[in-house]
Amino acid sequence: MEMRRVVLKGRGLNGGVAKGEALVTKPINFFGAYMQGILSGKLSKIEDTKHELYGKSLEGKILVFPFSIGSLAGGVSLLEAIMQGVGPKAIVNSKTDGVLLAGPVFARVFYDIEVPVVDSLDKDPFDTIRNGDYLTVDGNKGTVEVVRRG
Amino acid sequence: MQLTKTEKEMLTGKMGPAVELAMKSIVQMGEGLDAERLIPTQGSHLGNVDLLRHCTGYTGIVKKFIDLGAEVCVPTSENPYPADPRNPESPSIPEAFQGPSPLEGYYRTLGVIPNWTCTPYLYGNIPRFGQHLSWEESSAVIYINSVIGARANREPILMDLVSAITGRTVYSGLHIDENRKGEILCNVKVKGLKSDDFAAIGYYLGKVCGTKIPVIDGIQKKASSSSLKNMGAAAASTGAVSMYHIPGLTPEAPTIERAFGGQKPVDKVEIDDTVLKKTKKEMSSAEAGGEIDIVGVGCPHYTFEEVASIARLLKGKKVKDGVQLWVCTHNGAIDLAKQQGIAQIIKEAGGRLFSGCIYCLHTVNPYSDMRLMSDSGKICYYRRAVYGSQRECVAAAISGRA
Protein backbone atom coordinates (compact mmCIF):
# COMPACT_ATOMS: atom_id res chain seq x y z
CA MET A 1 0.00 0.00 0.00
CA GLU A 2 1.27 3.43 -0.94
CA MET A 3 1.77 5.91 1.85
CA ARG A 4 2.40 9.63 1.63
CA ARG A 5 3.85 11.70 4.39
CA VAL A 6 3.94 15.53 4.57
CA VAL A 7 5.01 17.76 7.44
CA LEU A 8 3.39 21.20 7.69
CA LYS A 9 5.01 23.93 9.77
CA GLY A 10 3.09 26.63 11.62
CA ARG A 11 2.60 28.17 15.03
CA GLY A 12 2.00 26.19 18.22
CA LEU A 13 -0.52 28.00 20.44
CA ASN A 14 -0.99 25.30 23.06
CA GLY A 15 1.58 22.61 23.76
CA GLY A 16 1.48 18.83 23.75
CA VAL A 17 1.55 16.10 21.11
CA ALA A 18 -1.52 14.23 19.87
CA LYS A 19 -2.06 11.62 17.15
CA GLY A 20 -5.31 10.68 15.48
CA GLU A 21 -7.63 10.79 12.51
CA ALA A 22 -8.38 14.12 10.83
CA LEU A 23 -11.92 15.49 10.80
CA VAL A 24 -11.98 18.42 8.38
CA THR A 25 -14.86 20.87 8.64
CA LYS A 26 -16.26 24.41 8.39
CA PRO A 27 -16.10 27.18 11.06
CA ILE A 28 -17.71 26.15 14.36
CA ASN A 29 -19.60 28.01 17.09
CA PHE A 30 -18.84 25.68 20.01
CA PHE A 31 -21.56 27.14 22.24
CA GLY A 32 -24.15 26.55 19.53
CA ALA A 33 -22.65 23.12 18.92
CA TYR A 34 -23.24 22.01 22.51
CA MET A 35 -25.90 24.34 23.95
CA GLN A 36 -28.40 21.76 25.23
CA GLY A 37 -25.51 19.72 26.61
CA ILE A 38 -24.20 22.81 28.40
CA LEU A 39 -27.62 23.41 29.95
CA SER A 40 -28.09 19.81 31.07
CA GLY A 41 -24.47 19.19 32.06
CA LYS A 42 -23.99 16.25 29.70
CA LEU A 43 -22.33 16.81 26.33
CA SER A 44 -21.96 14.25 23.55
CA LYS A 45 -22.55 14.95 19.85
CA ILE A 46 -22.71 18.18 17.83
CA GLU A 47 -26.29 19.51 18.23
CA ASP A 48 -26.17 22.42 15.81
CA THR A 49 -28.60 21.36 13.07
CA LYS A 50 -27.14 23.97 10.71
CA HIS A 51 -23.62 22.47 10.93
CA GLU A 52 -22.37 19.68 8.68
CA LEU A 53 -21.13 17.76 11.75
CA TYR A 54 -24.65 17.63 13.25
CA GLY A 55 -25.12 14.32 15.07
CA LYS A 56 -21.41 13.46 14.95
CA SER A 57 -18.95 13.26 17.84
CA LEU A 58 -15.52 14.90 17.92
CA GLU A 59 -14.21 12.31 20.37
CA GLY A 60 -10.71 11.09 19.53
CA LYS A 61 -10.55 13.18 16.35
CA ILE A 62 -8.12 15.87 15.31
CA LEU A 63 -10.35 18.70 14.31
CA VAL A 64 -9.25 20.75 11.28
CA PHE A 65 -11.32 23.89 10.62
CA PRO A 66 -10.64 27.50 9.56
CA PHE A 67 -11.62 29.41 12.73
CA SER A 68 -14.29 29.56 15.43
CA ILE A 69 -17.33 31.82 15.21
CA GLY A 70 -20.09 33.14 17.44
CA SER A 71 -20.56 33.19 21.19
CA LEU A 72 -17.90 34.23 23.69
CA ALA A 73 -18.86 31.03 25.54
CA GLY A 74 -17.22 29.03 22.73
CA GLY A 75 -14.02 28.31 24.64
CA VAL A 76 -15.74 27.36 27.87
CA SER A 77 -18.03 25.03 25.87
CA LEU A 78 -15.01 23.42 24.21
CA LEU A 79 -13.41 23.07 27.67
CA GLU A 80 -16.50 21.18 28.85
CA ALA A 81 -16.37 18.85 25.84
CA ILE A 82 -12.69 18.20 26.56
CA MET A 83 -13.43 17.59 30.28
CA GLN A 84 -16.22 15.13 29.47
CA GLY A 85 -13.98 13.24 27.04
CA VAL A 86 -16.06 14.04 23.96
CA GLY A 87 -13.87 16.84 22.60
CA PRO A 88 -11.16 16.70 19.95
CA LYS A 89 -7.63 15.40 20.74
CA ALA A 90 -6.03 18.36 18.95
CA ILE A 91 -7.02 21.38 16.86
CA VAL A 92 -5.61 22.66 13.58
CA ASN A 93 -6.88 26.07 12.39
CA SER A 94 -6.10 28.58 9.68
CA LYS A 95 -6.30 31.21 12.40
CA THR A 96 -7.11 30.65 16.09
CA ASP A 97 -8.76 33.36 18.19
CA GLY A 98 -8.87 33.88 21.94
CA VAL A 99 -12.40 32.54 22.35
CA LEU A 100 -11.41 29.12 21.01
CA LEU A 101 -7.95 29.09 22.60
CA ALA A 102 -9.41 29.61 26.08
CA GLY A 103 -10.76 26.02 26.01
CA PRO A 104 -7.45 24.18 25.52
CA VAL A 105 -5.41 26.68 27.61
CA PHE A 106 -7.69 26.43 30.67
CA ALA A 107 -7.85 22.62 30.24
CA ARG A 108 -4.05 22.57 30.55
CA VAL A 109 -3.64 25.08 33.39
CA PHE A 110 -6.48 23.79 35.58
CA TYR A 111 -6.92 20.13 34.65
CA ASP A 112 -3.57 19.02 33.17
CA ILE A 113 -5.27 17.89 29.96
CA GLU A 114 -3.25 18.56 26.81
CA VAL A 115 -5.10 19.45 23.61
CA PRO A 116 -2.45 20.86 21.27
CA VAL A 117 -3.45 23.76 18.99
CA VAL A 118 -1.56 24.71 15.81
CA ASP A 119 -2.41 27.43 13.26
CA SER A 120 -0.84 29.55 10.47
CA LEU A 121 0.59 26.55 8.58
CA ASP A 122 2.96 27.03 5.64
CA LYS A 123 0.53 25.16 3.35
CA ASP A 124 -3.24 25.54 3.25
CA PRO A 125 -4.49 22.74 5.52
CA PHE A 126 -7.69 22.44 3.45
CA ASP A 127 -5.66 21.57 0.34
CA THR A 128 -3.35 19.23 2.23
CA ILE A 129 -5.48 17.43 4.82
CA ARG A 130 -8.44 15.15 4.07
CA ASN A 131 -10.90 13.39 6.33
CA GLY A 132 -9.36 10.18 7.62
CA ASP A 133 -5.71 11.23 7.16
CA TYR A 134 -3.59 10.24 10.15
CA LEU A 135 -2.19 13.35 11.85
CA THR A 136 0.46 14.00 14.47
CA VAL A 137 0.00 17.48 15.93
CA ASP A 138 2.92 18.89 17.91
CA GLY A 139 1.82 22.03 19.75
CA ASN A 140 5.31 22.63 21.14
CA LYS A 141 7.01 22.74 17.74
CA GLY A 142 3.97 23.98 15.82
CA THR A 143 3.99 21.12 13.30
CA VAL A 144 1.39 18.83 11.76
CA GLU A 145 2.49 15.54 10.19
CA VAL A 146 -0.01 14.24 7.63
CA VAL A 147 0.05 10.56 6.62
CA ARG A 148 -2.28 9.31 3.91
CA ARG A 149 -2.71 5.64 3.04
CA GLY A 150 -3.90 4.31 -0.30
CA MET B 1 6.02 38.15 25.73
CA GLN B 2 7.33 41.02 27.87
CA LEU B 3 6.20 40.98 31.50
CA THR B 4 6.70 43.79 34.01
CA LYS B 5 8.42 43.14 37.34
CA THR B 6 5.04 43.02 39.11
CA GLU B 7 3.60 40.63 36.52
CA LYS B 8 6.60 38.31 36.93
CA GLU B 9 6.04 38.36 40.68
CA MET B 10 2.38 37.49 40.16
CA LEU B 11 3.41 34.59 37.94
CA THR B 12 5.86 33.20 40.50
CA GLY B 13 3.36 33.25 43.35
CA LYS B 14 4.47 36.32 45.27
CA MET B 15 0.87 37.60 45.39
CA GLY B 16 -0.50 34.20 46.43
CA PRO B 17 -1.51 30.99 44.65
CA ALA B 18 -4.80 32.31 43.21
CA VAL B 19 -3.13 35.22 41.42
CA GLU B 20 -0.34 32.86 40.29
CA LEU B 21 -2.82 30.47 38.66
CA ALA B 22 -4.84 33.29 37.07
CA MET B 23 -1.64 34.87 35.75
CA LYS B 24 -0.44 31.57 34.35
CA SER B 25 -3.64 31.34 32.29
CA ILE B 26 -3.37 34.90 30.99
CA VAL B 27 0.30 34.50 30.04
CA GLN B 28 -0.43 31.28 28.13
CA MET B 29 -3.30 32.99 26.32
CA GLY B 30 -1.10 36.00 25.52
CA GLU B 31 1.76 33.86 24.24
CA GLY B 32 -0.62 31.76 22.17
CA LEU B 33 -2.03 34.90 20.58
CA ASP B 34 1.44 36.41 19.94
CA ALA B 35 0.79 39.45 22.14
CA GLU B 36 3.80 41.63 22.91
CA ARG B 37 2.66 42.32 26.48
CA LEU B 38 -0.23 42.54 28.94
CA ILE B 39 -2.22 45.64 29.89
CA PRO B 40 -3.44 46.61 33.38
CA THR B 41 -7.26 46.60 33.54
CA GLN B 42 -9.59 48.69 35.71
CA GLY B 43 -12.66 46.45 35.63
CA SER B 44 -14.31 43.21 34.54
CA HIS B 45 -17.78 42.02 33.67
CA LEU B 46 -18.73 38.34 33.77
CA GLY B 47 -21.00 36.86 31.12
CA ASN B 48 -24.00 34.55 31.03
CA VAL B 49 -22.83 32.41 33.88
CA ASP B 50 -26.13 30.77 34.77
CA LEU B 51 -26.02 28.92 31.47
CA LEU B 52 -22.83 27.33 32.82
CA ARG B 53 -24.07 26.22 36.24
CA HIS B 54 -24.01 22.52 35.20
CA CYS B 55 -20.56 22.70 33.56
CA THR B 56 -17.98 21.02 35.76
CA GLY B 57 -15.13 22.60 33.80
CA TYR B 58 -16.24 26.15 34.54
CA THR B 59 -17.57 25.64 38.09
CA GLY B 60 -14.44 23.65 38.95
CA ILE B 61 -12.23 26.58 37.97
CA VAL B 62 -14.26 29.08 40.01
CA LYS B 63 -14.26 26.68 42.99
CA LYS B 64 -10.49 26.25 42.71
CA PHE B 65 -10.06 30.03 42.92
CA ILE B 66 -12.34 30.16 45.98
CA ASP B 67 -10.31 27.40 47.66
CA LEU B 68 -7.14 29.40 46.99
CA GLY B 69 -8.68 32.51 48.61
CA ALA B 70 -9.11 34.54 45.41
CA GLU B 71 -10.81 37.93 45.31
CA VAL B 72 -11.41 40.28 42.43
CA CYS B 73 -9.00 43.24 42.47
CA VAL B 74 -10.99 45.53 40.13
CA PRO B 75 -14.73 46.40 40.01
CA THR B 76 -16.37 43.29 38.56
CA SER B 77 -20.05 42.89 37.74
CA GLU B 78 -22.19 40.08 36.40
CA ASN B 79 -24.85 39.45 33.76
CA PRO B 80 -28.52 38.87 34.68
CA TYR B 81 -29.98 35.53 35.65
CA PRO B 82 -32.68 34.17 33.30
CA ALA B 83 -35.42 34.96 35.84
CA ASP B 84 -35.35 36.67 39.23
CA PRO B 85 -36.64 34.40 42.03
CA ARG B 86 -36.81 37.35 44.46
CA ASN B 87 -39.22 39.25 42.23
CA PRO B 88 -42.83 37.96 42.29
CA GLU B 89 -43.44 39.45 38.84
CA SER B 90 -40.72 37.36 37.26
CA PRO B 91 -41.81 34.52 34.95
CA SER B 92 -41.55 31.06 36.49
CA ILE B 93 -38.04 29.63 36.43
CA PRO B 94 -37.47 26.87 33.86
CA GLU B 95 -36.33 23.52 35.20
CA ALA B 96 -32.80 23.96 33.82
CA PHE B 97 -32.23 26.99 36.08
CA GLN B 98 -34.08 25.93 39.22
CA GLY B 99 -32.43 25.88 42.64
CA PRO B 100 -29.54 28.05 43.74
CA SER B 101 -26.55 28.07 41.42
CA PRO B 102 -23.28 27.23 43.19
CA LEU B 103 -21.72 30.04 41.20
CA GLU B 104 -23.74 32.75 42.95
CA GLY B 105 -22.13 32.00 46.33
CA TYR B 106 -18.70 31.81 44.72
CA TYR B 107 -19.15 35.23 43.14
CA ARG B 108 -20.10 36.82 46.46
CA THR B 109 -16.95 35.31 47.97
CA LEU B 110 -14.87 36.67 45.11
CA GLY B 111 -16.41 40.12 45.68
CA VAL B 112 -18.37 40.39 42.42
CA ILE B 113 -20.94 43.24 42.37
CA PRO B 114 -24.42 41.63 42.32
CA ASN B 115 -25.91 44.05 39.78
CA TRP B 116 -27.21 41.23 37.53
CA THR B 117 -27.47 43.24 34.36
CA CYS B 118 -26.22 43.16 30.77
CA THR B 119 -26.04 46.99 30.92
CA PRO B 120 -23.57 47.34 33.81
CA TYR B 121 -22.42 50.62 32.23
CA LEU B 122 -25.79 52.05 33.38
CA TYR B 123 -26.00 50.36 36.77
CA GLY B 124 -23.38 49.12 39.14
CA ASN B 125 -20.14 49.18 37.13
CA ILE B 126 -19.80 52.40 35.17
CA PRO B 127 -16.61 52.80 33.09
CA ARG B 128 -14.77 56.03 32.31
CA PHE B 129 -13.15 57.26 29.11
CA GLY B 130 -9.81 55.61 28.36
CA GLN B 131 -10.05 52.81 30.92
CA HIS B 132 -8.86 49.36 29.83
CA LEU B 133 -11.42 46.71 30.76
CA SER B 134 -11.92 42.97 30.49
CA TRP B 135 -15.61 42.61 29.75
CA GLU B 136 -17.71 39.77 28.45
CA GLU B 137 -21.20 40.52 26.94
CA SER B 138 -20.78 41.75 23.37
CA SER B 139 -23.60 44.32 23.60
CA ALA B 140 -21.90 46.00 26.55
CA VAL B 141 -18.43 45.85 24.97
CA ILE B 142 -19.57 47.72 21.83
CA TYR B 143 -21.33 50.36 23.98
CA ILE B 144 -18.40 51.14 26.27
CA ASN B 145 -15.88 51.25 23.41
CA SER B 146 -18.03 53.47 21.23
CA VAL B 147 -20.17 55.68 23.47
CA ILE B 148 -17.89 55.96 26.53
CA GLY B 149 -14.48 55.54 24.92
CA ALA B 150 -13.32 52.84 27.33
CA ARG B 151 -11.19 50.09 25.81
CA ALA B 152 -12.26 46.46 25.73
CA ASN B 153 -12.27 43.46 23.44
CA ARG B 154 -15.01 40.86 23.29
CA GLU B 155 -13.40 38.94 26.14
CA PRO B 156 -13.85 35.17 26.15
CA ILE B 157 -15.61 33.70 29.20
CA LEU B 158 -12.86 32.54 31.63
CA MET B 159 -10.54 35.39 30.56
CA ASP B 160 -12.98 37.87 32.18
CA LEU B 161 -12.60 35.93 35.44
CA VAL B 162 -8.80 35.65 35.50
CA SER B 163 -8.53 39.31 34.50
CA ALA B 164 -10.75 40.27 37.44
CA ILE B 165 -8.36 38.42 39.78
CA THR B 166 -5.12 39.85 38.33
CA GLY B 167 -6.17 43.22 36.90
CA ARG B 168 -4.48 42.29 33.62
CA THR B 169 -5.49 41.19 30.17
CA VAL B 170 -3.79 40.55 26.84
CA TYR B 171 -2.72 43.75 25.05
CA SER B 172 -4.40 43.31 21.69
CA GLY B 173 -7.29 44.45 19.52
CA LEU B 174 -9.16 47.52 20.77
CA HIS B 175 -6.72 48.16 23.62
CA ILE B 176 -4.35 49.50 20.94
CA ASP B 177 -4.84 53.04 19.45
CA GLU B 178 -4.14 51.90 15.91
CA ASN B 179 -6.99 49.37 15.96
CA ARG B 180 -9.68 51.87 17.00
CA LYS B 181 -9.84 53.81 13.74
CA GLY B 182 -12.95 53.77 11.58
CA GLU B 183 -12.82 51.52 8.52
CA ILE B 184 -16.22 51.69 6.80
CA LEU B 185 -18.20 54.84 6.12
CA CYS B 186 -21.92 54.36 6.65
CA ASN B 187 -24.30 57.11 5.54
CA VAL B 188 -27.81 56.84 6.95
CA LYS B 189 -30.31 58.63 4.72
CA VAL B 190 -33.65 57.69 6.21
CA LYS B 191 -36.51 60.18 6.06
CA GLY B 192 -38.18 60.66 9.44
CA LEU B 193 -35.62 58.50 11.24
CA LYS B 194 -36.97 57.31 14.60
CA SER B 195 -35.10 56.13 17.66
CA ASP B 196 -36.95 52.83 17.12
CA ASP B 197 -35.08 52.33 13.85
CA PHE B 198 -31.69 51.88 15.50
CA ALA B 199 -32.01 48.14 16.15
CA ALA B 200 -32.57 47.60 12.43
CA ILE B 201 -29.66 49.88 11.52
CA GLY B 202 -27.40 47.84 13.82
CA TYR B 203 -28.76 44.57 12.44
CA TYR B 204 -27.80 45.64 8.91
CA LEU B 205 -24.43 47.08 9.95
CA GLY B 206 -23.33 43.85 11.63
CA LYS B 207 -23.93 41.96 8.42
CA VAL B 208 -22.00 44.35 6.18
CA CYS B 209 -19.18 45.23 8.62
CA GLY B 210 -18.27 41.79 10.05
CA THR B 211 -15.41 42.67 12.41
CA LYS B 212 -14.72 46.13 10.94
CA ILE B 213 -15.39 49.52 12.60
CA PRO B 214 -18.13 51.61 10.97
CA VAL B 215 -18.28 55.42 11.06
CA ILE B 216 -22.00 56.17 11.07
CA ASP B 217 -23.21 59.55 9.83
CA GLY B 218 -26.78 60.85 9.67
CA ILE B 219 -28.18 59.44 12.91
CA GLN B 220 -26.86 62.08 15.32
CA LYS B 221 -30.19 63.80 16.03
CA LYS B 222 -31.99 60.63 17.12
CA ALA B 223 -29.10 58.89 18.86
CA SER B 224 -30.24 58.58 22.48
CA SER B 225 -28.33 56.34 24.88
CA SER B 226 -31.16 53.81 24.56
CA SER B 227 -31.08 53.74 20.77
CA LEU B 228 -27.27 53.46 20.70
CA LYS B 229 -27.48 50.52 23.10
CA ASN B 230 -30.02 48.81 20.83
CA MET B 231 -28.06 49.51 17.65
CA GLY B 232 -24.80 48.18 19.07
CA ALA B 233 -26.38 45.02 20.48
CA ALA B 234 -27.78 44.16 17.05
CA ALA B 235 -24.49 44.90 15.25
CA ALA B 236 -22.59 42.75 17.76
CA SER B 237 -25.01 39.87 17.07
CA THR B 238 -25.23 39.77 13.27
CA GLY B 239 -21.51 40.61 13.07
CA ALA B 240 -18.58 40.78 15.45
CA VAL B 241 -18.60 44.58 15.50
CA SER B 242 -17.03 45.78 18.77
CA MET B 243 -16.88 49.51 18.08
CA TYR B 244 -18.39 52.27 15.97
CA HIS B 245 -17.89 56.00 15.66
CA ILE B 246 -20.53 58.71 15.19
CA PRO B 247 -18.94 61.99 14.10
CA GLY B 248 -19.60 64.83 16.52
CA LEU B 249 -21.17 62.49 19.05
CA THR B 250 -18.91 59.68 20.22
CA PRO B 251 -15.76 60.73 22.09
CA GLU B 252 -13.10 59.48 19.67
CA ALA B 253 -14.79 61.00 16.62
CA PRO B 254 -15.00 64.81 16.84
CA THR B 255 -15.11 64.82 13.00
CA ILE B 256 -15.44 62.22 10.22
CA GLU B 257 -11.75 62.68 9.34
CA ARG B 258 -10.66 62.11 12.94
CA ALA B 259 -12.89 59.03 13.16
CA PHE B 260 -10.90 57.47 10.31
CA GLY B 261 -7.59 58.53 11.88
CA GLY B 262 -6.45 60.27 8.70
CA GLN B 263 -7.01 57.19 6.54
CA LYS B 264 -9.55 56.63 3.78
CA PRO B 265 -12.52 54.32 4.37
CA VAL B 266 -11.96 50.84 2.95
CA ASP B 267 -15.64 50.68 2.02
CA LYS B 268 -18.82 52.75 1.95
CA VAL B 269 -22.37 51.69 2.65
CA GLU B 270 -25.64 53.58 2.55
CA ILE B 271 -28.75 52.87 4.58
CA ASP B 272 -31.89 54.39 3.05
CA ASP B 273 -35.60 53.74 3.54
CA THR B 274 -35.50 50.68 1.27
CA VAL B 275 -32.61 49.04 3.15
CA LEU B 276 -34.27 49.78 6.48
CA LYS B 277 -37.61 48.34 5.41
CA LYS B 278 -35.99 45.21 3.97
CA THR B 279 -33.90 44.72 7.11
CA LYS B 280 -36.93 44.99 9.40
CA LYS B 281 -38.65 42.32 7.35
CA GLU B 282 -35.58 40.08 7.50
CA MET B 283 -35.40 40.46 11.29
CA SER B 284 -38.65 38.52 11.60
CA SER B 285 -37.68 34.88 11.31
CA ALA B 286 -41.21 33.90 12.33
CA GLU B 287 -44.23 34.82 10.24
CA ALA B 288 -45.82 38.14 11.18
CA GLY B 289 -49.60 38.34 11.48
CA GLY B 290 -50.17 35.21 13.53
CA GLU B 291 -50.86 34.64 17.21
CA ILE B 292 -48.08 35.08 19.75
CA ASP B 293 -47.43 33.79 23.27
CA ILE B 294 -44.75 36.12 24.58
CA VAL B 295 -43.74 39.71 23.90
CA GLY B 296 -40.23 40.14 25.29
CA VAL B 297 -38.60 43.56 25.40
CA GLY B 298 -35.42 44.75 27.10
CA CYS B 299 -32.56 42.83 25.45
CA PRO B 300 -30.19 44.39 26.34
CA HIS B 301 -31.90 45.59 29.51
CA TYR B 302 -34.21 48.52 28.97
CA THR B 303 -33.00 51.90 30.17
CA PHE B 304 -35.26 53.72 32.63
CA GLU B 305 -36.45 55.92 29.71
CA GLU B 306 -37.52 52.86 27.76
CA VAL B 307 -39.40 51.49 30.80
CA ALA B 308 -41.18 54.84 31.21
CA SER B 309 -42.00 54.90 27.52
CA ILE B 310 -43.56 51.42 27.45
CA ALA B 311 -45.56 52.31 30.56
CA ARG B 312 -47.04 55.31 28.73
CA LEU B 313 -48.18 52.98 25.95
CA LEU B 314 -49.60 50.45 28.41
CA LYS B 315 -51.49 52.90 30.62
CA GLY B 316 -55.14 51.86 30.94
CA LYS B 317 -54.64 48.90 28.56
CA LYS B 318 -54.66 45.18 29.24
CA VAL B 319 -52.35 42.46 27.92
CA LYS B 320 -54.46 39.72 26.31
CA ASP B 321 -55.25 36.69 28.48
CA GLY B 322 -52.77 33.91 27.80
CA VAL B 323 -50.12 36.30 26.44
CA GLN B 324 -47.08 37.26 28.54
CA LEU B 325 -45.37 40.63 28.36
CA TRP B 326 -41.81 40.57 29.69
CA VAL B 327 -40.13 43.93 30.31
CA CYS B 328 -36.52 43.28 31.32
CA THR B 329 -34.40 45.94 32.96
CA HIS B 330 -31.87 46.37 35.75
CA ASN B 331 -32.86 46.68 39.41
CA GLY B 332 -31.96 50.38 39.48
CA ALA B 333 -34.61 51.13 36.88
CA ILE B 334 -37.09 48.86 38.67
CA ASP B 335 -36.60 50.84 41.91
CA LEU B 336 -37.15 54.13 40.08
CA ALA B 337 -40.20 52.73 38.29
CA LYS B 338 -41.67 51.67 41.63
CA GLN B 339 -41.08 55.11 43.15
CA GLN B 340 -42.77 56.85 40.26
CA GLY B 341 -45.79 54.59 39.91
CA ILE B 342 -44.55 53.34 36.54
CA ALA B 343 -44.10 49.79 37.76
CA GLN B 344 -47.72 49.80 38.93
CA ILE B 345 -48.96 50.83 35.47
CA ILE B 346 -47.07 47.94 33.85
CA LYS B 347 -48.34 45.52 36.49
CA GLU B 348 -51.96 46.63 36.13
CA ALA B 349 -51.70 46.17 32.38
CA GLY B 350 -50.59 42.59 33.00
CA GLY B 351 -46.90 43.03 32.15
CA ARG B 352 -43.97 41.61 34.10
CA LEU B 353 -41.20 44.07 35.00
CA PHE B 354 -38.15 42.12 36.17
CA SER B 355 -34.38 41.86 35.98
CA GLY B 356 -33.93 38.86 33.73
CA CYS B 357 -32.68 37.61 30.39
CA ILE B 358 -35.11 36.98 27.53
CA TYR B 359 -32.35 35.27 25.55
CA CYS B 360 -31.65 32.76 28.36
CA LEU B 361 -35.32 32.09 29.19
CA HIS B 362 -36.19 31.51 25.59
CA THR B 363 -33.40 28.93 25.27
CA VAL B 364 -35.19 26.31 27.37
CA ASN B 365 -38.55 24.67 28.00
CA PRO B 366 -41.30 25.69 28.48
CA TYR B 367 -40.47 28.96 26.71
CA SER B 368 -38.33 27.83 23.77
CA ASP B 369 -41.30 26.59 21.73
CA MET B 370 -43.51 29.60 22.43
CA ARG B 371 -44.16 32.21 19.76
CA LEU B 372 -42.09 35.28 20.54
CA MET B 373 -42.15 38.92 19.48
CA SER B 374 -39.47 41.46 20.38
CA ASP B 375 -38.13 44.92 19.62
CA SER B 376 -34.58 43.62 20.10
CA GLY B 377 -32.29 43.07 17.10
CA LYS B 378 -30.22 40.71 19.25
CA ILE B 379 -33.21 38.52 20.14
CA CYS B 380 -34.43 38.53 16.54
CA TYR B 381 -31.03 37.27 15.40
CA TYR B 382 -30.64 34.49 17.98
CA ARG B 383 -34.23 33.32 18.39
CA ARG B 384 -37.17 32.55 16.15
CA ALA B 385 -39.21 35.72 16.64
CA VAL B 386 -41.28 38.45 15.05
CA TYR B 387 -39.64 41.88 15.09
CA GLY B 388 -41.63 45.00 15.95
CA SER B 389 -40.98 48.46 17.40
CA GLN B 390 -41.86 49.07 21.05
CA ARG B 391 -45.23 50.47 19.97
CA GLU B 392 -45.91 47.44 17.74
CA CYS B 393 -44.85 45.08 20.53
CA VAL B 394 -47.32 46.68 22.94
CA ALA B 395 -50.12 46.51 20.35
CA ALA B 396 -49.33 42.81 19.82
CA ALA B 397 -49.36 42.08 23.56
CA ILE B 398 -52.83 43.63 23.76
CA SER B 399 -54.30 41.97 20.67
CA GLY B 400 -52.39 38.69 20.96
CA ARG B 401 -51.37 38.94 17.32
CA ALA B 402 -48.01 39.99 15.90
Side-chain angles (χ1 to χ4, degrees), chain B residues 209-224:
Chain B
C209 295
T211 58
K212 293 204 164 60
I213 299 178
V215 176
I216 313 162
D217 199 17
I219 58 171
Q220 284 84 343
K221 283 184 182 159
K222 294 288 175 185
S224 66

Side-chain angles (χ1 to χ4, degrees), chain A residues 11 13 39 72 80 108 111, chain B residues 28 32 34 54 56-57 136:
Chain A
R11 204 168 60 114
L13 294 94
L39 291 167
L72 299 177
E80 193 61 22
R108 162 199 295 280
Y111 299 109
Chain B
Q28 290 210 18
D34 270 351
H54 302 296
T56 50
E136 214 271 336

